[in-house]
Amino acid sequence: MPPKPENILKRAQELTSIGHTQTAHTLLHEYITSKRAKHNPIATMEPAMESLLELSVDLKKGKAAKDALYSYKNYAQNTNIGTIEAVVTKFIQLSSDKVSGAQQKADDIESSTKGVDDLEALETPESILLSTVSSEQSRDRTDRAIVTPWLKFLWESYRSVLDILKNNARLEIRYQATAIQAFQFCADYARKTEFRRLCELLRNHLQNAAKYQQQAHAINLSDPDTLQRHLDTRFQQLNVAVDLELWQEAFRSIEDIHMLLNITKRPPRNIMMANYFEKLAQVFLVSENYLFHAASLTRYHGLLRVSAHAVATGQGSKKDNPAVTDTDLANCASFVVLSALSIPVISTSRSRGNLVDVDETKKNKNQRLTSLLGLGSAPSRASLINEVTTKGLLKRARPEIRQLYDILEVDFHPLSICKKISPILTQIGADPEMGKYVKSLKQVILTRLFQQLSQVYESVSIGFVLGLFPEHFEISKGTIEKFIMNGCKKGDLAIRIDHAKGVLTFDSDVFSSAKALHPGSGAGSAESEVSSVQRLQSTPAEIVRSQLTRLAKTLYITCQHVDPSFSEDQRLERAAALQRAEANAKKEHLDTLERKTIIEKKKEAASSAQAQKEKEEATRKRIRAQQQQEAEIQRLEQEQRERDQRRLKEQQARVQREEAEKQLNELKSGSSKIKLDLGEVDLDDIDSGRIRAMKIAALEKEKSELSERLRVTGKRMDHLERAYRREEARHLPEDKEAQMEQDREEYERTTEQTLKDAKEKHASDVALKRRLTRLFPLYESFRAEKQEERKAEFEKRRKAAQKELEAKKQARISEHRERKARERKEREERERQAREEEERAEREAEEKAVAEEEKKRKDAERRARMEEERKKLDEQAAKQRQREEEADERRRQKAAAAGAAPAAREPAAAREPPTQRPSVLGEKAGGWREREAAKRAAGGGSGERDESPAPAPAAPARSGGGYVPPHLRGDGARTGSTPPPPRDDSTPPPGRGPPPPREPPQEREAPSARSNAGGGGGGKYVPPSMRRAGGGQ
């Protein structure tokens, strides 16, 4: 029977209380993850699961906690969802508490240095070396050592919980709440890398949920509530991405939100869409996509106006609409106008010039961004400026923004445009939010300046252009040249630069303008084909382009003046057309309504047919998918079986091959001096017997070859040594003479060199002595002086040391006295405790001895009582035996007197109670039954002794077959016989002695004779005692 969760939990708590936390964790983990745990009630398993999570968090065992949560979810998801949410919430809370505790500990460590007076004293050699090789501060190292491990564990906890709760409709709410908590964790601790991984994890979960919707308990993405929860999570993801300045993740989050908005059938709330467009505008601003940034702000402002109107008229609730005031609308309108004005007229992006329209990548990107904004067509600078003016946003904007619009889009002042805009830019730059548009505004100002200058001048000097900018504009010659080259490349400007003269020439050739050569190609320009800049006169290129149009207009006006009837005919034709339209208007209206009805019916029929078709197609697709899934499962099972069989065969072959290779390698290494041809050996066909035979053959061959080589080598060495010695004997005398001569020469040379060195050393020592003799008086005086100084310093130090020695001696003496006193007190205390212990031991020994004496006395009394009782019982038993013997004697006498009817009475052995069984131990004489029987026998025996036996009536003799009791068989056989003789005194009583000896065969009568003599039935059993009595008769 499997153990109960209560017992497992109790055992784990006991192990934890004695410090065996790891063992307790292992016990709980093995129980939760075992298959036998699923048969227990969930209510009893929840405390064990919570205890396991606490131990897992304390021991930082995230993987074990994840495995246990997986098992617990499988057990409880069909019965109790609340317990899964409870344990998951507790797991997250425990991890968060650990992080908070680690932060508090790090803060305490950091704050512990604030109360130190001398901060330089905290600088250790280790900290100085560490500060030179690392730029981290002490706080960073403390956080990395204490806080970072728990942050990692908390992140792993969030990821594990999300993996466990994914794609489960019953746990969807807890899943979304955990995701939002994980986003908040990334925001609180600025975990950018973990935030990217979390976003990717949620995308994978959503893709898997859409892929495996046929599974049990899978989430339904068609449910509006489910999509709304996903949208709320993605908006929180977008907000955190913007806070962390992860703009790529923010853009991907926006794409996720747009995808969910396209799926859902419920219209999103205005407050959500306002947040969507606001964050989208921030992403576009960071990416310097001013065109779509302005479009996002325009959508955002429109949504704010709609929300304010809905709340004011009561058509919408404040919960679903953002809180908007007039100040917020005015501020938003200012940003919309400023962002529209900041859109560069000439694109600064790197593109392929006039071929940008055919760039599919750019086109696809613009289409995707347009779809994110929910627009039908891509926005342009002219359309956004037009929307600003038509919707009255310019009136709501700030005064400096309106003035900036007038300067850039309305007025024509090429020589003063920079000076007029300079204070406005200064005012805008003072605002941190609006200061982000100053850089793009400068590009627009350059564009307007050159467009207006081209209307007035044919050529200007670069110095003149630079003089038009104030100093804080920071515009250089290189900046102007770069801008002009980019504008000419895009086709928005037609300017030539003469670097030798430093002159800018505005091209006036009728065929030189890029715009004239490529009409209608925006070429990267943010404006439409018709420029918004005011023109004083048309350029020669424009005159050439519009000459046919001007000719047509002139001819039309001329026809009106030459032929007045031409205008009258046109008027009459218009009047007749109007009359026909009025006459047929009602009929056309009815026809249109009828056509509309028919179209609606056709649409309904088509939609019904399409729905039916889709339903049937879905059914077929589901059936086909199910069949394919079953076939795939069967195929996978078959492949798995084949793989298993193939793997087993390969393993067997590999083991056999490895064994063969091992034996062959041993054979090669053992027979390294023997050339074995193992190249043609097939390891797949060879077996161990063949390898063993090869090994034995190789060993024999190696042994024989080794013996032969040893024999040949020994013989060769003998011959060689003999030749060496013979040759050496002829050269020994010559070598001896040469060696003696060489030794003699070496001795003479060494003796001569030794004498020479001794003479030179003696001469140098004599010279040195003469030189040092002159310095000896100075040396003696210097040595005496130094000795006096050293002696005085030594005496001074000796006195100081003696003084210090005396002080330390006194301190040691006092310390020694204190220690002796303390030791004496401790020794006295120990002696006192020892005496008390001895006294207590003596008292206990005395008490024990008294108790032993008392026990012995009681045992002696008990044995005396038992002995007396035993003696009494022995006396009663003796009396009982005597009475039994007397009773036996009387019964024998009665039986003898009865004569013809011995069968009428029972033997004494049958009527009397059984003889008392002797005691085994010899102390007790039987139980209460025996004692009662003895009393009764004692009472009856006395009466029998006083009375004479009465004759018993004779019983009729039995004849024939059938059962005869034993006491009747003997009496019937001994009719007319005498009773047996009385028992001798030496005969032991019944049951207390050996049985009587068996009767000899010759003294027994035959059964037939006994039966005939008695006159009873033949073949009856006769006891031995009766037989003996009958025979004696």
Side-chain angles (χ1 to χ4, degrees):
M1 182 177 180
K4 295 182 179 181
E6 297 87 350
N7 299 335
I8 297 294
L9 179 60
K10 184 177 179 181
R11 176 59 178 165
Q13 291 175 353
E14 292 174 354
L15 290 172
T16 305
S17 62
I18 61 176
H20 294 178
T21 310
Q22 181 66 39
T23 307
H25 177 271
T26 305
L27 177 66
L28 289 172
H29 181 264
E30 290 178 354
Y31 177 73
I32 293 295
T33 55
S34 63
K35 294 183 179 180
R36 61 185 178 181
K38 64 182 180 181
H39 302 294
N40 295 316
I42 296 300
T44 60
M45 290 181 61
E46 184 174 353
M49 187 65 197
E50 291 180 354
S51 179
L52 173 61
L53 292 178
E54 292 177 359
L55 294 177
S56 299
V57 173
D58 293 337
L59 299 175
K60 294 183 182 179
K61 291 187 175 294
K63 188 177 184 302
K66 183 178 180 181
D67 296 340
L69 286 173
Y70 262 119
S71 302
Y72 191 74
K73 186 197 78 169
N74 295 333
Y75 301 154
Q77 66 179 351
N78 294 326
T79 57
N80 191 355
I81 295 298
T83 182
I84 301 177
E85 296 179 353
V87 297
V88 166
T89 305
K90 184 175 181 62
F91 181 48
I92 296 296
Q93 184 62 36
L94 290 173
S95 303
S96 302
D97 293 342
K98 289 295 182 180
V99 174
S100 302
Q103 281 188 327
Q104 183 64 33
K105 184 177 179 181
D107 294 338
D108 295 341
I109 294 174
E110 189 67 20
S111 61
S112 62
T113 60
K114 294 182 179 180
V116 181
D117 297 332
D118 188 6
L119 292 178
E120 294 182 358
L122 297 178
E123 292 292 337
T124 61
E126 293 82 2
S127 62
I128 295 174
L129 289 175
L130 189 60
S131 62
T132 57
V133 301
S134 175
S135 60
E136 292 183 347
Q137 300 298 323
S138 176
R139 174 68 184 187
D140 298 333
R141 292 192 293 270
T142 304
D143 289 344
R144 188 174 69 252
I146 299 176
V147 182
T148 303
W150 285 113
L151 284 177
K152 182 180 179 182
F153 183 81
L154 180 57
W155 160 244
E156 293 293 338
S157 303
Y158 279 122
R159 190 165 62 178
S160 301
V161 170
L162 289 174
D163 284 335
I164 292 170
L165 303 179
K166 67 180 179 180
N167 197 19
N168 195 318
R170 300 182 178 184
L171 301 171
E172 178 66 21
I173 298 176
R174 183 69 256 173
Y175 173 82
Q176 303 296 344
T178 305
I180 293 175
Q181 289 181 352
F183 288 139
Q184 191 62 37
F185 159 76
C186 296
D188 293 341
Y189 300 102
R191 309 305 303 177
K192 297 184 178 181
T193 304
E194 285 76 12
F195 179 76
R196 295 190 186 95
R197 294 173 181 170
L198 178 61
C199 296
E200 192 63 30
L201 181 67
L202 295 180
R203 291 190 189 95
N204 292 335
H205 289 176
L206 185 60
Q207 292 175 3
N208 293 332
K211 184 178 180 182
Y212 301 106
Q213 288 191 356
Q214 294 81 13
Q215 293 181 352
H217 310 305
I219 62 174
N220 184 13
L221 293 179
S222 301
D223 186 12
D225 295 333
T226 301
L227 283 176
Q228 184 63 38
R229 286 192 289 268
H230 277 278
L231 278 174
D232 295 339
T233 304
R234 292 310 186 276
F235 272 109
Q236 180 66 20
Q237 174 181 333
L238 176 60
N239 295 334
V240 175
V242 173
D243 294 340
L244 295 177
E245 297 182 355
L246 298 175
W247 305 111
Q248 291 183 354
E249 286 299 330
F251 184 75
R252 297 181 67 183
S253 303
I254 290 171
E255 289 183 330
D256 296 341
I257 294 172
H258 182 261
M259 184 265 295
L260 293 174
L261 290 175
N262 291 334
I263 295 176
T264 182
K265 299 178 181 178
R266 180 184 298 176
R269 295 179 296 172
N270 290 337
I271 188 170
M272 294 174 59
M273 295 307 298
N275 186 23
Y276 172 78
F277 287 119
E278 182 182 7
K279 297 300 187 292
L280 186 59
Q282 293 183 12
V283 173
F284 285 140
L285 179 61
V286 172
S287 62
E288 296 184 355
N289 194 337
Y290 297 100
L291 178 62
F292 285 93
H293 168 70
S296 302
L297 285 181
T298 305
R299 292 298 307 275
Y300 176 65
H301 180 266
L303 195 59
L304 292 182
R305 289 181 61 186
V306 172
S307 300
H309 182 266
V311 173
T313 58
Q315 298 178 0
S317 61
K318 294 183 179 180
K319 182 178 68 174
D320 297 335
N321 293 278
V324 183
T325 60
D326 293 339
T327 305
D328 296 336
L329 287 174
N331 190 26
C332 184
S334 300
F335 275 98
V336 171
V337 176
L338 182 59
S339 63
L341 294 175
S342 301
I343 300 174
V345 179
I346 302 174
S347 177
T348 57
S349 62
R350 295 181 179 179
S351 63
R352 294 180 292 175
N354 293 327
L355 299 179
V356 72
D357 288 338
V358 298
D359 193 349
E360 292 297 331
T361 304
K362 182 77 173 180
K363 185 178 180 180
N364 294 335
K365 179 182 178 182
N366 290 337
Q367 289 179 354
R368 189 173 64 171
L369 297 181
T370 304
S371 65
L372 291 179
L373 290 173
L375 300 176
S377 59
S380 63
R381 189 177 190 276
S383 63
L384 294 175
I385 294 293
N386 186 28
E387 189 172 357
V388 165
T389 56
T390 55
K391 292 186 177 181
L393 297 180
L394 196 59
K395 297 178 182 179
R396 291 178 173 270
R398 292 161 58 175
E400 62 270 15
I401 303 299
R402 291 199 298 270
Q403 187 178 359
L404 179 64
Y405 173 80
D406 293 336
I407 295 173
L408 292 178
E409 303 297 331
V410 179
D411 298 338
F412 185 87
H413 34 66
L415 299 181
S416 61
I417 181 174
C418 298
K419 295 180 181 179
K420 290 181 178 180
I421 289 180
S422 178
I424 299 175
L425 290 181
T426 303
Q427 190 174 359
I428 292 175
D431 190 343
E433 295 295 330
M434 291 187 176
K436 301 175 183 178
Y437 300 97
V438 174
K439 181 180 178 181
S440 59
L441 282 174
K442 290 182 179 180
Q443 298 291 327
V444 178
I445 294 170
L446 280 173
T447 305
R448 293 305 186 207
L449 175 62
F450 286 111
Q451 286 179 347
Q452 294 179 10
L453 285 176
S454 64
Q455 296 290 318
V456 181
Y457 300 98
E458 291 184 356
S459 62
V460 292
S461 64
I462 298 178
F464 173 75
V465 175
L466 290 174
L468 298 177
F469 294 100
E471 294 181 358
H472 66 274
F473 261 69
E474 298 179 357
I475 299 297
S476 61
K477 182 178 178 181
T479 305
I480 293 176
E481 291 181 359
K482 184 178 180 180
F483 178 78
I484 292 174
M485 294 300 295
N486 183 56
C488 294
K489 179 182 178 182
K490 304 292 183 181
D492 289 281
L493 297 178
I495 303 175
R496 294 184 179 181
I497 303 177
D498 190 347
H499 292 281
K501 298 179 180 179
V503 176
L504 302 178
T505 303
F506 301 100
D507 199 351
S508 59
D509 189 358
V510 295
F511 301 109
S512 62
S513 176
K515 286 291 186 182
L517 293 175
H518 302 277
S521 67
S525 175
E527 287 190 328
S528 61
E529 183 181 353
V530 180
S531 179
S532 61
V533 66
Q534 290 190 4
R535 297 184 179 274
L536 299 180
Q537 58 184 354
S538 299
T539 61
E542 292 176 349
I543 292 174
V544 172
R545 285 203 306 270
S546 61
Q547 59 183 352
L548 296 178
T549 307
R550 289 185 290 105
L551 178 60
K553 291 180 180 180
T554 303
L555 291 176
Y556 181 75
I557 296 172
T558 302
C559 290
Q560 288 181 350
H561 288 284
V562 171
D563 188 4
S565 61
F566 178 75
S567 300
E568 185 65 20
D569 293 339
Q570 286 188 343
R571 187 182 64 77
L572 293 175
E573 289 177 0
R574 284 195 298 270
L578 183 60
Q579 290 177 0
R580 288 193 303 272
E582 290 176 356
N584 298 328
K586 186 175 182 180
K587 182 181 178 182
E588 290 181 358
H589 179 64
L590 295 176
D591 294 341
T592 304
L593 292 177
E594 184 178 0
R595 184 171 177 271
K596 182 179 180 182
T597 304
I598 295 172
I599 291 173
E600 289 178 354
K601 291 181 179 179
K602 290 183 178 180
K603 286 175 63 178
E604 291 177 359
S607 61
S608 301
Q610 182 66 22
Q612 184 66 22
K613 183 179 179 181
E614 290 178 355
K615 185 177 180 180
E616 294 176 355
E617 182 65 25
T619 304
R620 289 194 299 270
K621 184 177 180 180
R622 186 171 60 255
I623 295 172
R624 188 165 57 252
Q626 186 175 1
Q627 294 175 354
Q628 292 177 357
Q629 186 177 4
E630 293 176 355
E632 182 68 16
I633 291 173
Q634 294 178 0
R635 185 183 63 82
L636 293 177
E637 291 178 354
Q638 181 64 24
E639 290 180 355
Q640 182 65 28
R641 287 194 295 269
E642 293 177 357
R643 284 196 297 270
D644 293 340
Q645 294 176 0
R646 190 164 54 251
R647 186 176 64 254
L648 289 175
K649 292 180 180 178
E650 290 177 355
Q651 289 179 356
Q652 293 175 359
R654 186 174 65 254
V655 171
Q656 184 177 359
R657 185 182 181 87
E658 290 177 355
E659 186 66 23
E661 288 181 354
K662 182 179 179 181
Q663 294 181 4
L664 288 176
N665 291 331
E666 292 178 356
L667 182 59
K668 292 178 182 179
S669 62
S671 56
S672 58
K673 297 181 180 180
I674 302 175
K675 302 298 182 180
L676 294 177
D677 189 9
L678 300 178
E680 298 180 356
V681 175
D682 190 0
L683 295 177
D684 297 330
D685 298 335
I686 196 170
D687 56 352
S688 58
R690 185 179 173 187
I691 294 175
R692 193 178 301 109
M694 293 174 61
K695 186 174 183 180
I696 293 173
L699 290 175
E700 292 294 336
K701 186 177 180 180
E702 181 180 3
K703 184 177 179 180
S704 61
E705 290 182 357
L706 180 61
S707 300
E708 182 64 22
R709 283 199 303 272
L710 289 175
R711 187 184 65 80
V712 173
T713 304
K715 189 174 182 180
R716 184 185 301 112
M717 290 182 63
D718 291 342
H719 287 281
L720 186 62
E721 184 66 22
R722 189 181 302 113
Y724 284 161
R725 291 186 179 182
R726 287 179 179 178
E727 185 67 22
E728 183 182 10
R730 292 196 300 266
H731 298 284
L732 285 177
E734 298 177 1
D735 183 69
K736 179 179 178 183
E737 294 295 332
Q739 185 67 30
M740 291 177 64
E741 185 65 25
Q742 184 178 0
D743 292 343
R744 190 181 297 105
E745 292 178 357
E746 182 66 25
Y747 170 75
E748 293 176 355
R749 185 172 58 255
T750 303
T751 303
E752 183 180 357
Q753 184 66 29
T754 301
L755 293 174
K756 183 178 179 181
D757 293 342
K759 291 179 180 179
E760 292 178 356
K761 186 175 184 303
H762 177 72
S764 61
D765 291 343
V766 170
L768 179 61
K769 179 181 178 181
R770 292 176 181 174
R771 288 196 302 272
L772 293 178
T773 302
R774 296 193 300 269
L775 298 176
F776 188 75
L778 297 175
Y779 165 73
E780 288 293 336
S781 60
F782 179 76
R783 186 181 66 174
E785 183 180 356
K786 287 298 179 182
Q787 284 180 351
E788 291 295 332
E789 292 178 359
R790 297 284 177 84
K791 185 176 181 180
E793 184 178 359
F794 171 74
E795 289 295 332
K796 181 178 179 181
R797 290 186 180 182
R798 187 181 63 78
K799 291 179 181 179
Q802 186 67 25
K803 185 177 181 181
E804 184 179 0
L805 178 62
E806 291 296 332
K808 289 186 178 181
K809 185 186 296 183
Q810 294 298 327
R812 289 288 297 275
I813 291 171
S814 60
E815 182 181 357
H816 178 72
R817 290 175 179 174
E818 292 176 359
R819 187 173 67 254
K820 287 294 184 181
R822 185 169 60 253
E823 291 177 355
R824 184 173 63 257
K825 290 181 180 179
E826 293 177 354
R827 185 170 60 257
E828 292 175 355
E829 181 67 20
R830 287 195 299 271
E831 291 176 355
R832 183 183 62 78
Q833 292 179 358
R835 286 195 303 273
E836 292 178 356
E837 187 68 24
E838 291 176 357
E839 293 175 358
R840 183 170 65 255
E842 290 177 356
R843 286 196 303 271
E844 291 178 355
E846 292 176 357
E847 293 175 357
K848 187 175 181 181
V850 171
E852 290 292 336
E853 292 294 333
E854 183 67 20
K855 184 177 179 180
K856 290 179 180 179
R857 185 181 62 78
K858 290 181 179 180
D859 291 342
E861 293 177 355
R862 182 174 57 82
R863 286 194 296 272
R865 288 196 302 270
M866 292 175 63
E867 185 67 22
E868 292 177 0
E869 291 178 358
R870 188 180 65 78
K871 290 179 179 179
K872 291 179 181 180
L873 292 175
D874 290 342
E875 293 175 358
Q876 292 177 1
K879 292 178 180 180
Q880 177 67 18
R881 287 193 298 272
Q882 184 179 1
R883 287 194 296 269
E884 287 177 356
E885 293 174 357
E886 293 176 355
D888 290 340
E889 182 66 23
R890 288 194 297 271
R891 277 193 295 274
R892 284 193 296 271
Q893 292 175 3
K894 288 179 182 180
R905 299 183 59 85
E906 297 179 358
R911 289 197 311 269
E912 294 298 329
T915 305
Q916 184 181 2
R917 186 178 181 182
S919 176
V920 178
L921 299 177
E923 295 180 0
K924 294 183 179 180
W928 65 273
R929 289 187 178 88
E930 288 76 3
R931 290 195 295 272
E932 290 294 330
K935 290 179 182 179
R936 287 196 300 270
S942 61
E944 289 179 357
R945 285 192 299 270
D946 295 338
E947 298 179 358
S948 60
R958 296 179 60 88
S959 62
Y963 174 75
V964 179
H967 64 279
L968 297 180
R969 298 172 197 164
D971 293 340
R974 293 193 306 268
T975 302
S977 63
T978 59
R983 183 177 298 174
D984 192 20
D985 293 340
S986 61
T987 303
R992 297 182 62 89
R998 295 181 62 87
E999 190 176 321
Q1002 61 273 9
E1003 293 181 0
R1004 297 182 182 179
E1005 295 181 358
S1008 60
R1010 288 196 301 268
S1011 61
N1012 295 330
K1020 296 181 178 63
Y1021 172 78
V1022 180
S1025 61
M1026 297 297 107
R1027 296 172 199 162
R1028 193 167 50 250
Q1033 186 181 2

